[in-house]
């Protein structure tokens, strides 16, 4: 059985309109910005199902939704399970329902809590009361402790003290893990005998001082009627005590030298937090994977699994969880583990299948990215699984997103926005460079089939990519070397249709598309008012002017380049802005300088040499870019 649905009403960040989350077998990932409700989901599951570490969970006033004025007076959390086995159906028989669409059994368990006004409750009344029930309807009946023990989850905290959990102490998590393993329980008598024999051996070696302690000192201190004597042992001969005194550590295994000498394995004396977390999670996962033989379902709740783990270990962890989430083969002793986890790691997000991600927006609304909910198609999932890497996965954690086609926009847009007074880092905007393919595929991540839509503003910035006729002298089609068509070769209706096609493929829901009015991002910056500044930066990169004068690249000074660039720009005073922009853009188009190099140097120029105030600076920016920036950082 696995959790298929969670419904939350008036709990923490979730208000009076019930929020529903759909879960699948295997790995499920919750992502989104801080304070969006991810931890509230995990706590809702812990409150309703309980945990194997027996955490004491009791609702408090802060668990009731606060609407800005007051706390709600009730909350309700419902958890539904599907795909029950025959044994599980037998265990939960009295609480089962039947799905109308499939005819299969399901189990619904809920926790409801109410609170009273502290100013009106009686002397012996409790301010908060709560109950846990189960049943197919909204009435249900109480669910007994034996049944609850089966649905308890394994929970790994976000701030895990792995060292403490792995150390020897009373009621340690390690002892609980081993105490739940059938092979340990079956070997319990043998372990007790080993400890008893060891205690006897130890006592035999130090019998003299113990006798002296009893006869010469203790007997004189105790009353005659006490009939007590001191005894010594390494451990009490009880299985629980034995397991509580164990600690888990990593060792360097025994090896053999090239000469054939055997080297004994040794413990890592200074074990880092990352390895301690890996070891602790390994112990928990070992027990979960064997839960086919345990009286509990294989359910793992884990917050921020990336804690203390470097990216490769994060990737290994996700791969293992995906493997454990697969249906077991016939006669396999292992079972299918369902994992529900939260993360702020782009590494983990990019390694998780998109259809198993639940995305929270900044308003605390949660949206499934499964094919039944989003506009993503099967080809989109295949594409994104291949191309949505760790450098792009930051889109899952932003308040707003700008999707761009190249390095130039990726480098320059944050600088432009900052100069406009719209610093992306202050507005929680992520800029994602997706290259020249798949705009619409990334856009569909944020587009739901049905309302409501996500409160995550997305701007796609695309080139119209129709060169002006003023650039015709240096335009050729790559490979064929044929002249390229310009705007003079298109009818106005054709240009309009091309722009509409670009927009229609990606626009919808919270996604808007902004298309350049002419050619490319760099060309349009030049055409709109930055021609002189861009010309200067281009000349600095070329170490000469665009036409005419050629300097000695080895000996020429920055001041000389700037002077010659100024003279060249002034010589173009009589030509049109379109002609001037075409001349300045030619070295970038012909790849005499790369777009990336240009973007880096022009960004530095804007930050260190441009003195425009935000208003005058904004006037130089093409309107399609200012509208896109206002959309995501408005």
């Amino acid at each position: 059985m696995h959790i298929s649905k969670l419904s939350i009403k008036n709990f923490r960040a979730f208000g009076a309109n019930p929020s529903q989350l759909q879960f699948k077998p295997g790995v499920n990932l919750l992502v989104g910005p801080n304070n969006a409700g991810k931890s509230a989901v995990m706590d809702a599951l812990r409150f309703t199902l309980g945990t194997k570490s027996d955490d004491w969970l009791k609702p408090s006033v802060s668990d009731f939704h606060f609407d800005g004025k007051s706390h709600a007076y009730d909350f309700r959390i419902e958890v539904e399970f599907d795909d029950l086995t025959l044994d599980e159906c037998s265990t939960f028989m009295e609480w089962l329902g039947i799905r109308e669409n499939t005819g299969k059994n399901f189990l619904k368990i809920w926790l409801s809590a109410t609170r009273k006004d502290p100013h009106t409750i009686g002397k012996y009344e409790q301010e908060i009361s709560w109950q846990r029930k189960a049943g197919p309807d909204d009435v249900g009946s109480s669910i007994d402790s034996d049944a609850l023990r089966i649905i308890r989850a394994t929970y790994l905290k976000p701030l895990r003290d792995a060292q403490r959990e792995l150390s020897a102490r009373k009621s340690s998590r390690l002892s609980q893990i081993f105490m739940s393993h059938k092979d340990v329980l079956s070997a319990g008598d043998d372990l007790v005998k080993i400890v008893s024999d060891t205690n006897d051996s130890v006592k035999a070696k130090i019998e003299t001082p113990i006798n002296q302690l009893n006869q010469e000192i203790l007997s004189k201190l105790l009353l005659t009627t006490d009939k007590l004597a001191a005894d010594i042992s390494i451990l009490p001969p009880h299985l629980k005590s034995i397991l509580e005194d164990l600690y888990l550590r990593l060792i360097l295994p025994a090896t053999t030298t090239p000469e054939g000498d055997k080297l004994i394995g040794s413990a890592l004396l200074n074990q880092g937090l990352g390895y301690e977390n890996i070891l602790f999670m390994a112990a928990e996962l070992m027990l979960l994977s064997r839960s086919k033989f345990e009286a509990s379902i294989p359910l793992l709740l884990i917050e921020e699994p990336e804690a203390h783990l470097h990216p490769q270990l994060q990737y290994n962890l996700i791969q293992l969880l995906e493997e454990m989430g697969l249906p077991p083969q016939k006669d396999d002793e292992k079972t299918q583990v369902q994992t529900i986890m939260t993360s702020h790691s782009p590494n983990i997000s990019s390694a998780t299948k998109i259809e198993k991600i639940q995305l929270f927006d900044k308003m605390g609304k949660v949206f499934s990215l499964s094919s039944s909910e989003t506009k993503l198609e099967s080809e989109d999932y295949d594409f994104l699984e291949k191309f949505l890497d760790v450098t792009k996965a930051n889109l899952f954690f932003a308040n707003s997103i700008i999707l761009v086609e190249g390095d130039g926009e990726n480098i320059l847009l944050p600088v432009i926005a900052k100069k406009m007074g719209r610093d992306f880092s202050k507005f929680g905007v992520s800029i994602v460079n997706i290259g020249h393919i798949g705009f619409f595929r990334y856009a569909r991540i944020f587009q739901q089939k049905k309302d409501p839509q996500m409160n995550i503003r997305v701007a796609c910035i695309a080139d119209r990519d129709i060169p002006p006729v003023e650039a015709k002298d240096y335009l050729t089609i790559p490979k064929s070397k044929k002249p390229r068509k310009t705007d003079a070769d298109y009818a106005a209706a054709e240009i309009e249709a091309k722009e509409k096609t670009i927009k229609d493929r990606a626009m919808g829901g919270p996604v808007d598309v902004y298309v350049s009015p002419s050619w490319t991002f760099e060309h349009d910056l030049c055409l709109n008012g930055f021609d002189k500044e861009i010309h200067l930066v281009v000349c600095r990169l070329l170490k000469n002017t665009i036409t005419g004068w050629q300097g000695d690249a080895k000996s020429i000074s920055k001041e000389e380049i700037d002077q010659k660039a100024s003279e060249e720009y002034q010589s173009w005073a009589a030509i049109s802005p379109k002609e001037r922009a075409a001349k300045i853009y030619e070295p970038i188009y012909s790849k005499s300088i790369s777009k990336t190099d240009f973007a880096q140097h022009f960004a530095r120029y804007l930050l260190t040499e441009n003195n425009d105030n935000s208003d005058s600076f904004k006037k130089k920016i093409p309107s399609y870019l200012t509208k896109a920036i206002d959309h995501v950082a408005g």
Side-chain angles (χ1 to χ4, degrees):
M1 60 191 282
H2 71 274
I3 296 176
S4 57
K5 181 180 176 182
L6 172 66
S7 179
I8 308 175
K9 177 183 177 181
N10 277 338
F11 180 74
R12 305 266 183 91
F14 300 95
N17 292 324
S19 296
Q20 296 185 349
L21 291 84
Q22 308 289 334
F23 295 110
K24 298 177 180 292
V27 173
N28 297 267
L29 178 62
L30 311 180
V31 297
N34 286 321
N35 206 36
K38 300 185 295 296
S39 292
V41 168
M42 303 299 273
D43 285 343
L45 291 169
R46 292 170 61 215
F47 269 61
T48 308
L49 306 179
T51 66
K52 291 178 181 176
S53 53
D54 294 323
D55 299 325
W56 175 244
L57 300 170
K58 183 179 179 181
S60 64
V61 173
S62 60
D63 294 319
F64 292 81
H65 178 69
F66 185 71
D67 63 4
K69 297 180 180 179
S70 62
H71 289 278
Y73 281 93
D74 63 83
F75 72 72
R76 184 182 174 96
I77 303 165
E78 294 182 1
V79 182
E80 294 186 17
F81 293 87
D82 275 293
D83 293 335
L84 281 74
T85 65
L86 289 177
D87 288 340
E88 289 164 344
C89 286
S90 176
T91 300
F92 298 102
M93 179 65 71
E94 63 182 287
W95 301 288
L96 293 182
I98 298 177
R99 300 283 187 201
E100 292 183 2
N101 57 337
T102 64
K104 293 184 178 181
N105 291 310
F106 75 97
L107 172 66
K108 181 171 74 174
I109 299 173
W110 67 86
L111 177 104
S112 57
T114 58
R115 74 177 188 90
K116 297 180 179 179
D117 189 325
H119 302 292
T120 62
I121 59 176
K123 183 176 181 180
Y124 298 105
E125 288 184 299
Q126 291 185 338
E127 182 180 357
I128 297 173
S129 60
W130 55 283
Q131 59 182 347
R132 189 185 283 110
K133 287 186 175 183
D137 52 26
D138 290 333
V139 179
S141 60
S142 297
I143 183 167
D144 61 48
S145 59
D146 289 337
L148 286 173
R149 192 174 295 111
I150 294 174
I151 61 171
R152 291 181 306 168
T154 296
Y155 172 64
L156 301 185
K157 304 173 184 178
L159 299 175
R160 296 178 288 280
D161 188 350
Q163 186 177 49
R164 182 173 182 270
E165 300 290 0
L166 296 173
S167 63
R169 61 183 178 85
K170 185 174 179 61
S171 299
S172 69
R173 180 57 189 152
L174 184 62
S175 69
Q176 295 174 21
I177 291 172
F178 286 143
M179 199 73 178
S180 300
H181 198 289
K182 71 179 185 68
D183 291 341
V184 174
L185 293 176
S186 63
D189 292 341
D190 293 337
L191 289 172
V192 170
K193 187 177 185 306
I194 291 171
V195 170
S196 296
D197 292 345
T198 302
N199 286 339
D200 292 341
S201 298
V202 170
K203 282 191 287 187
K205 297 298 182 182
I206 56 175
E207 184 176 8
T208 299
I210 294 299
N211 288 338
Q212 290 174 348
L213 173 65
N214 281 319
Q215 296 168 10
E216 298 177 12
I217 306 297
L218 195 57
S219 63
K220 297 176 181 180
L221 294 174
L222 296 174
L223 298 175
T224 305
T225 56
D226 284 339
K227 305 297 183 182
L228 298 173
D231 191 21
I232 193 167
S233 64
I234 294 177
L235 283 173
H238 308 293
L239 181 58
K240 185 173 184 293
S241 299
I242 294 170
L243 297 180
E244 287 176 343
D245 208 59
L246 297 178
Y247 65 95
L248 198 61
R249 62 182 179 176
L250 289 172
I251 65 167
L252 297 171
T255 57
T256 302
T257 66
E259 294 76 21
D261 298 326
K262 290 187 177 181
L263 301 178
I264 300 174
S266 60
L268 294 177
L269 298 180
N270 296 305
Q271 197 165 285
L273 290 174
Y275 282 120
E276 285 181 344
N277 269 273
I278 283 290
L279 185 57
F280 173 53
M281 286 190 283
E284 293 280 11
L285 293 175
M286 176 273 299
L287 182 62
L288 269 175
S289 68
R290 311 287 297 186
S291 60
K292 181 177 181 179
F293 303 101
E294 313 299 334
S296 61
I297 62 172
L299 173 62
L300 173 64
L301 308 178
I302 176 169
E303 295 197 67
E304 299 181 18
E306 65 269 21
H308 307 299
L309 303 184
H310 69 68
Q312 188 57 53
L313 289 181
Q314 294 177 33
Y315 180 77
N316 290 348
L317 174 62
I318 293 301
Q319 291 295 101
L320 176 60
L321 293 176
E322 289 280 8
E323 179 184 322
M324 294 175 65
L326 296 174
Q329 300 298 316
K330 186 178 180 181
D331 300 326
D332 193 344
E333 291 187 351
K334 296 181 180 180
T335 189
Q336 185 177 19
V337 177
Q338 183 180 32
T339 301
I340 300 173
M341 60 183 173
T342 68
S343 179
H344 292 104
S345 167
N347 296 284
I348 286 177
S349 302
S350 64
T352 303
K353 294 184 183 301
I354 292 180
E355 60 188 342
K356 293 192 174 184
I357 292 177
Q358 305 270 351
L359 179 58
F360 287 71
D361 67 17
K362 60 186 177 183
M363 302 303 293
K365 301 296 183 182
V366 59
F367 301 88
S368 170
L369 300 188
S370 67
S371 58
S372 62
E373 304 298 327
T374 73
K375 291 187 177 180
L376 288 165
E377 299 176 358
S378 58
E379 295 84 359
D380 299 330
Y381 286 107
D382 293 339
F383 175 92
L384 293 170
E385 187 171 343
K386 182 178 180 180
F387 291 106
L388 202 162
D389 57 23
V390 67
T391 64
K392 302 178 182 68
N394 64 339
L395 58 81
F396 291 121
F397 308 98
N399 290 336
S400 303
I401 299 143
I402 290 188
L403 302 176
V404 298
E405 293 180 314
D407 293 330
E409 297 95 321
N410 193 35
I411 294 169
L412 277 168
L413 276 176
V415 175
I416 290 172
K418 188 173 184 177
K419 292 283 290 184
M420 287 173 54
R422 299 294 178 87
D423 191 334
F424 284 167
S425 64
K426 301 296 184 183
F427 284 87
V429 178
S430 286
I431 183 166
V432 181
N433 180 8
I434 63 170
H436 293 282
I437 57 173
F439 246 138
F440 63 98
R441 300 188 192 275
Y442 289 90
R444 287 175 184 166
I445 293 174
F446 305 96
Q447 295 169 342
Q448 296 279 292
K449 289 181 177 178
K450 300 177 181 178
D451 288 336
Q453 297 292 326
M454 300 180 191
N455 191 16
I456 301 174
R457 293 184 178 183
V458 182
C460 300
I461 296 180
D463 292 337
R464 191 179 76 175
D465 210 23
I466 297 178
V469 67
E470 288 79 7
K472 66 179 181 179
D473 291 341
Y474 60 79
L475 292 175
T476 57
I477 299 175
K479 295 183 180 179
S480 69
K481 302 299 182 182
K482 295 180 180 179
R484 186 176 175 184
K485 292 175 69 175
T486 69
D487 54 6
D489 300 311
Y490 291 90
E494 291 180 294
I495 294 176
E496 184 178 344
K498 181 173 183 178
E499 291 180 356
K500 185 176 185 301
T501 298
I502 295 172
K503 290 184 176 182
D504 287 350
R505 292 199 79 186
M507 189 176 292
V511 181
D512 210 345
V513 181
Y514 300 87
V515 182
S516 67
S518 181
W519 191 2
T520 68
F521 171 74
E522 296 83 4
H523 172 268
D524 289 4
L525 283 175
C526 190
L527 182 62
N528 205 71
F530 279 109
D531 54 348
K532 186 175 183 179
E533 292 94 330
I534 291 176
H535 175 250
L536 177 63
V537 171
V538 167
C539 289
R540 287 177 181 177
L541 286 167
L542 292 172
K543 294 190 175 180
N544 55 47
T545 58
I546 292 174
T547 60
W549 176 83
Q550 298 285 319
D552 184 349
K554 294 182 179 179
S555 61
I556 190 170
S557 67
K558 176 175 175 292
E559 290 73 19
E560 189 175 7
I561 292 174
D562 290 357
Q563 177 61 34
K564 294 295 183 181
S566 177
E567 293 172 2
E568 182 177 55
Y569 183 81
Q570 291 174 14
S571 71
W572 295 333
I575 65 177
S576 70
K578 286 188 174 182
E579 290 178 285
R580 191 160 55 243
K583 287 180 178 293
I584 295 170
Y585 184 65
E586 181 180 0
I588 300 175
Y589 175 82
S590 65
K591 299 183 180 179
S592 297
I593 57 176
S594 73
K595 287 188 175 184
T596 303
D597 283 344
F598 164 74
Q600 289 174 334
H601 285 78
F602 190 52
R604 186 182 303 122
Y605 173 87
L606 292 178
L607 291 172
T608 60
E609 299 183 54
N610 178 273
N611 297 316
D612 293 329
N613 60 40
S614 59
D615 289 335
S616 58
F617 183 87
K618 186 174 182 178
K619 291 177 181 178
K620 294 182 178 180
I621 305 298
S623 62
Y624 81 104
L625 294 179
T626 60
K627 289 177 182 178
I629 291 171
D630 287 342
H631 178 65
V632 297

